[in-house]
Amino acid sequence: MTALTDTLRQICGAAHVLTHEDPTTDLSAWELDWRKRIRGRALAVVRPGSTTEVAAVVKACAALKTSIVPQGGNTGLVVGGVPDASGTQIVLSLGRMQAVRAIDPANLTITVEAGCVLQNLQAAAEAAGFLFPLSLGAEGSCTIGGNLGTNAGGTQVVRYGNTRELCLGLEVVNAQGEIWHGLTGLRKDNTGYDLRNLMIGSEGTLGVITAATLKLYPQPAAQLTAWAAVPSMQAAVDLLGLAHQRLGPGLTGFEVMGQFALSLVDKHYPQLRVPLWKETPWCVLLENSDSENEAHARGQFESLLEAALDAGCVTDAVVAENLTQARGLWHIRESITLAQAEEGLNIKHDISIPVSRIPDFVAETDALLAQHIPGVRLVDFGHLGDGNLHYNVQVPEGADGQAFLRDCEDQVNTLVFDQVKRFEGSISAEHGVGELKVGKLPLYKDPTALAMMRAVKKALDPHNIMNPGRVLG
Ligand code: FAD
Ligand code: MLT
Ligand code: ZN
């Protein structure tokens, strides 16, 4: 037992400080990243039960310059929430801090602790008669602290924005172990620099988010889902334009899925019965959330799809008859990541490009990849409504996955990111930088912006104890 782990046990209780002192203790849940690409080794996994305990843990670590990796549900996809292999870092898991602290119906806000699982937060909002719209495939295990840490996007961004836009106030423990009491529910506050927005998306490198005040929305009167076959990416973009025109703010989801991505779902989860995918290169999933009633929503959807069929941007479509069918269609979309993992190793991208330029980006980049990487298999899908594509690359059929990643990952990333730059996009629209893209950021981020980021990091965390090696390297 080290002096530090001893102190941490005094702060949080012995049961909430897990170490390798007992060789039979399995810390994989905290040390292995979701994609199983990196297994780190922690000095200890610490699970504080309150903000005061988090502050005391950070103070104890800061005194010894021991670095801290904040962790929520460990569903991150860029190796940002697991420790490195040194055995010297503390994983600070927020998993025990799950309370819903307050709901203010008139102010349309909910205040929750960072370790609250997203699905439980959605359920708490629903039980109070409201909607908390953040929604993503990992919602059964990711936490709101991790969502804020990564500024997560998901499938409702086209209407409600990403996590940053859903957050009004934060409680944060800074790198010195002091508590910033910023849990405001104000929608307007111009009293200086926006520290809330600085913390959101900082991937645990500036402090630990312990609680947040978030926006609530009225529940829609009706929600309908449609699945459309489209003949090209340009047709999908045209359909998006029509959907904006016809549905206005009712358009709450617009996801595109390529044929190969859907073939993987069909292969690994045949029970999900993917519709229409065999006859078309792309499918689109649309959601219409209506403030009137189901008949109105259905009428709007039918007229949109008729116009799209006439315009040639849709060749076939199904509208879910009921909630079970709608959930089934969303489940197919959300199973693509899992099907890709079942298929084997892959290279993930979460790029964004102006929507209007996506068809040209995809055509050109597909051709470049095919030319340079024989047998390349592209798993294209994502949040087309936000200009955010998961332009993923699956290891060629029959190839050795580890060898492919070793030999080709950097080449694939460079090729895709150079294209992203040419098309004025971002190399990360959702998952963040973590450790995986840390070497690439200086090549694609504006140098002045990067220098300002380094200055902020140095000012707030001068000893570099908060998640070192992530985002800024
Ligand atoms: P973790 O993985 O534990 O941590 C992620 C990062 O946040 C780390 O850098 C960590 O240090 C930091 N962090 C965690 N908690 C805190 C805290 N309290 N304070 C400060 N920093 C903290 N992401 C999307 O954006 N959109 C999607 O649609 C999406 N779909 C996904 C689907 C699947 C099947 C999976 C596995 C992942 C998906 N993700 C998606 C990625 C992931 O779920 C999100 O990044 C999520 O926000 C991470 O939450 P988490 O609690 O698991 O965080
Ligand atoms: C999703 O939108 O499902 C995830 O962000 C995508 C991924 O696995 O790349
Ligand atoms: Zn996504």
Side-chain angles (χ1 to χ4, degrees):
M1 192 185 308
T2 66
L4 178 61
T5 51
D6 205 13
T7 308
L8 298 176
R9 287 192 171 112
Q10 282 163 22
I11 297 167
C12 300
H16 303 304
V17 179
L18 314 173
T19 68
H20 289 286
E21 283 154 11
D22 172 358
T24 61
T25 309
D26 181 9
L27 299 183
S28 301
W30 297 274
E31 293 181 331
L32 181 63
D33 85 298
W34 190 88
R35 292 171 68 196
K36 300 189 172 52
R37 286 190 61 164
I38 301 283
R39 180 186 286 275
R41 187 174 173 87
L43 174 66
V45 174
V46 185
R47 306 179 70 237
S50 68
T51 303
T52 319
E53 287 183 11
V54 173
V57 167
V58 175
K59 263 204 176 101
C61 292
L64 297 170
K65 299 197 176 55
T66 295
S67 51
I68 298 168
V69 182
Q71 192 182 89
N74 195 15
T75 66
L77 299 173
V78 290
V79 190
V82 288
D84 66 19
S86 66
T88 62
Q89 299 189 312
I90 297 295
V91 172
L92 200 163
S93 165
L94 280 295
R96 286 177 62 221
M97 293 180 56
Q98 305 183 356
V100 175
R101 290 197 191 159
I103 295 181
D104 183 342
N107 199 43
L108 289 172
T109 52
I110 183 166
T111 299
V112 291
E113 294 184 343
C116 183
V117 169
L118 176 56
Q119 208 165 58
N120 296 343
L121 167 51
Q122 294 164 344
E126 194 180 336
F130 295 102
L131 171 76
F132 180 67
L134 184 66
S135 178
L136 46 136
E139 64 199 20
S141 50
C142 67
T143 63
I144 190 64
N147 303 147
L148 288 157
T150 57
N151 186 29
T155 53
Q156 302 279 296
V157 175
V158 67
R159 164 72 175 84
Y160 298 101
N162 50 29
T163 312
R164 182 174 279 125
E165 282 151 279
L166 300 173
C167 179
L168 294 171
L170 287 182
E171 179 185 85
V172 171
V173 172
N174 69 13
Q176 290 70 40
E178 294 151 349
I179 303 171
W180 165 36
H181 297 280
L183 282 180
T184 170
L186 298 177
R187 275 151 220 270
K188 301 179 95 172
D189 177 8
N190 282 346
T191 54
Y193 304 145
D194 195 334
L195 298 176
R196 174 197 62 201
N197 281 348
L198 184 60
M199 286 293 162
I200 298 172
S202 64
E203 302 182 47
T205 62
L206 299 178
V208 186
I209 295 167
T210 51
T213 298
L214 303 155
K215 292 181 191 169
L216 293 174
Y217 289 83
Q219 283 174 355
Q223 217 164 25
L224 284 188
T225 302
W227 183 283
V230 300
S232 64
M233 185 58 101
Q234 183 59 54
V237 170
D238 294 343
L239 175 61
L240 174 64
L242 273 180
H244 276 308
Q245 264 174 27
R246 304 255 172 163
L247 307 180
L251 180 66
T252 46
F254 194 97
E255 298 286 313
V256 73
M257 297 154 288
Q259 190 175 46
F260 181 63
L262 291 174
S263 80
L264 292 183
V265 178
D266 181 71
K267 175 175 169 187
H268 295 287
Y269 309 113
Q271 73 280 12
L272 297 185
R273 304 163 77 88
V274 182
L276 305 179
W277 71 275
K278 283 192 183 142
E279 63 210 52
T280 183
W282 298 96
C283 287
V284 168
L285 186 61
L286 305 94
E287 186 182 76
N288 181 18
S289 298
D290 194 280
S291 55
E292 292 190 25
N293 53 47
E294 185 169 332
H296 183 258
R298 208 167 276 283
Q300 267 193 326
F301 238 176
E302 277 163 9
S303 95
L304 164 67
L305 291 171
E306 259 167 46
L309 281 160
D310 286 348
C313 53
V314 163
T315 51
D316 201 355
V318 287
V319 180
E321 286 298 325
N322 50 46
L323 201 58
T324 312
Q325 279 182 12
R327 286 202 178 121
L329 294 176
W330 276 106
H331 189 48
I332 293 168
R333 155 65 183 89
E334 277 158 6
S335 299
I336 296 175
T337 301
L338 299 163
Q340 240 203 296
E342 288 288 334
E343 183 70 7
L345 290 170
N346 53 69
I347 302 169
K348 276 189 186 297
H349 296 122
D350 60 312
I351 56 175
S352 57
I353 309 275
V355 170
S356 51
R357 305 191 67 187
I358 283 183
D360 286 346
F361 170 87
V362 169
E364 277 187 27
T365 316
D366 281 7
L368 273 173
L369 280 168
Q371 184 191 336
H372 291 278
I373 318 275
V376 72
R377 299 187 294 165
L378 293 171
V379 184
D380 287 359
F381 65 103
H383 320 288
L384 184 63
D386 325 324
N388 170 199
L389 269 196
H390 295 302
Y391 191 78
N392 295 345
V393 173
Q394 198 75 30
V395 165
E397 187 101 58
D400 172 343
Q402 292 292 357
F404 179 78
L405 290 185
R406 191 190 58 229
D407 300 340
C408 300
E409 183 166 20
D410 192 62
Q411 187 190 1
V412 167
N413 285 340
T414 302
L415 198 149
V416 172
F417 293 164
D418 283 355
Q419 282 288 97
V420 166
K421 189 173 180 178
R422 226 166 62 68
F423 280 82
E424 298 170 319
S426 167
I427 65 166
S428 175
E430 276 201 322
H431 302 156
V433 180
E435 192 171 301
L436 273 191
K437 288 176 225 152
V438 87
K440 293 289 177 199
L441 197 64
L443 306 176
Y444 298 98
K445 185 97 184 164
D446 177 273
T448 306
L450 206 59
M452 288 162 77
M453 282 168 61
R454 287 191 202 286
V456 168
K457 169 75 175 169
K458 201 157 187 172
L460 296 188
D461 180 18
H463 299 299
N464 194 21
I465 64 163
M466 294 305 312
N467 216 359
R470 274 71 198 258
V471 182
L472 286 172

